[in-house]
Structures are given as structure tokens and as C-alpha cells.
Amino acid sequence: MKKEHPISLEDHISNAKEGKQASFNYLLDTFWNDVYNFQLKRTENEYEAEDITIQSFSRAFDKINTFNEDYNFKTWLIQISKNIHIDLLRKRNASIQSKTTTQVDDAVYKIIDDNPTPEDKLITEQNLAQLLLYIKQLKPHYQQVINLRYFQELSYKEIAEHLNEPINNVKVKLLRAKKLLSEIINNPNT
């Protein structure tokens, strides 16, 4: 009997390039803390670090097909987040109010399909009153996307329009919110 080998990082990157949801989840879960902690040191602001991290994954997932396997994936992500942070500083210094475009590129729809994830299943199986208590433990911007998606049943496009954010940011934010919520549900006393 042949032994099953865990899927390698290279396989996950390759699968993500093919639009496979599980691999996007894996990459987000694996590298979130690296990018977030890097930005937290740079910005010294939790909200800003989180926002830059969301944008970094959004941009990385949108451009995953440009990733060269000869390089380190984590380094590539960190470089993307560095560039986003530099851009934000430039915009601030120029005191230009940054408005994100509302154009939706067809390529962004590959990032997330509507097949329920294990986190979706866990979330929908919760008693509503208990679930609302769990959701209140999330940061407000995560509470907001969970509310818009699961209680108001808005599409990703509608959420993006409602929040005036790019659809990729909404998708990454929702992925992260579901992950954090499933951790709270699985470990309610921590």
C-alpha cells in the first residue's frame, strides 16, 4: 500500500494557479501571520497591518500566475506587502484621497468559488444565538463581512460595492473571518 504524502507548498501554489479553493485557503492560513507580523512591525498599528495584509493576499491571489517557482513564496508575499505599504505612505504624503476602483475583473472570480468550505459548514451548523455571540468576538470589519455574507446574503460583488472595496479584498477578508470564526467555535473558552 502506497503511503499518502502531504501536499507540498509547490503543489498548493500550482493548484492555486488552477483556481483551486483549498489551496488558496492553505496559502492564506500558512502565510497570514508572516505577512501580518511583518506589517505590524512596520506600521505599529494592528488595523493598518491587517488591512495591508488583506490587500497583500488579494493582490497575490490575483497575480498568482505571475509567481515564479524559482523564488520563495513567502518572500514574494512580503515584497507585495512592502510595495502596498510604500504606496499607502506615498498616497498619504501626497495627501491624495485614495479611492479604489469599482471595476470588477473577471479573473478575480477564480479566487473563490461558492462551494461550501469546512468553515462554512461549521458556521451554518451553529445555534443562531450562540453564533452571534461568537461573531461578536471578531474584530468589527470581520463581523461586518460575515453579517453581509451570511445574514444579508449579499454576493461578493454586492459586498464589495457596499464596502467600496475591491472584490478581492472582500474575498480575502471573508476567508480570514471564516477561519477566525471557526477557531472561536472550535475553542470557545480561549
Side-chain angles (χ1 to χ4, degrees):
M1 197 161 86
K2 207 173 177 185
K3 208 175 185 184
E4 284 287 318
H5 291 289
I7 298 175
S8 70
L9 175 60
E10 292 77 19
D11 289 338
H12 277 295
I13 292 167
S14 187
N15 289 344
K17 285 182 176 184
E18 294 172 14
K20 297 206 169 113
Q21 177 62 43
S23 290
F24 283 115
N25 288 352
Y26 173 84
L27 294 172
L28 183 71
D29 294 347
T30 302
F31 295 104
W32 175 272
N33 287 338
D34 294 319
V35 177
Y36 175 76
N37 289 330
F38 174 79
Q39 282 302 330
L40 190 57
K41 284 182 190 142
R42 286 174 69 101
T43 63
E44 298 177 350
N45 176 314
E46 283 183 27
Y47 178 79
E48 196 172 353
E50 199 159 30
D51 194 46
I52 292 169
T53 303
I54 288 168
Q55 289 181 50
S56 299
F57 279 96
S58 171
R59 189 168 301 166
F61 290 169
D62 191 34
K63 305 283 185 205
I64 191 88
N65 286 319
T66 68
F67 175 70
N68 181 340
E69 285 81 4
D70 294 337
Y71 298 100
N72 181 300
F73 191 75
K74 178 176 152 185
T75 305
W76 184 67
L77 278 171
I78 296 288
Q79 188 58 52
I80 290 171
S81 81
K82 230 188 252 186
N83 292 343
I84 289 171
H85 184 233
I86 289 166
D87 288 347
L88 288 174
L89 292 175
R90 280 188 191 134
K91 284 178 185 171
R92 258 190 228 137
N93 291 342
S95 68
I96 297 171
Q97 190 170 12
S98 64
K99 280 280 179 199
T100 54
T101 178
T102 55
Q103 289 176 333
V104 177
D105 187 89
D106 287 347
V108 300
Y109 288 107
K110 319 192 285 204
I111 290 181
I112 295 183
D113 58 22
D114 284 328
N115 294 334
T117 63
E119 290 88 356
D120 287 320
K121 192 171 183 309
L122 188 63
I123 290 166
T124 56
E125 288 173 351
Q126 297 304 306
N127 166 297
L128 183 60
Q130 185 62 55
L131 181 61
L132 291 172
L133 290 174
Y134 290 144
I135 291 171
K136 285 195 184 313
Q137 294 178 47
L138 295 172
K139 291 182 180 176
H141 59 280
Y142 290 140
Q143 290 179 29
Q144 185 179 33
V145 293
I146 291 281
N147 176 39
L148 292 171
R149 181 72 176 154
Y150 292 99
F151 295 100
Q152 295 183 34
E153 297 181 351
L154 298 183
S155 69
Y156 293 119
K157 185 174 187 232
E158 291 168 328
I159 295 170
E161 288 168 0
H162 180 82
L163 299 176
N164 193 26
E165 285 189 32
I167 196 165
N168 268 3
N169 287 13
V170 168
K171 290 176 178 183
V172 171
K173 204 180 278 187
L174 199 54
L175 270 179
R176 184 69 182 153
K178 290 190 301 187
K179 167 87 171 140
L180 293 172
L181 188 56
S182 71
E183 287 173 3
I184 292 168
I185 292 168
N186 286 322
N187 304 300
N189 297 325
T190 52

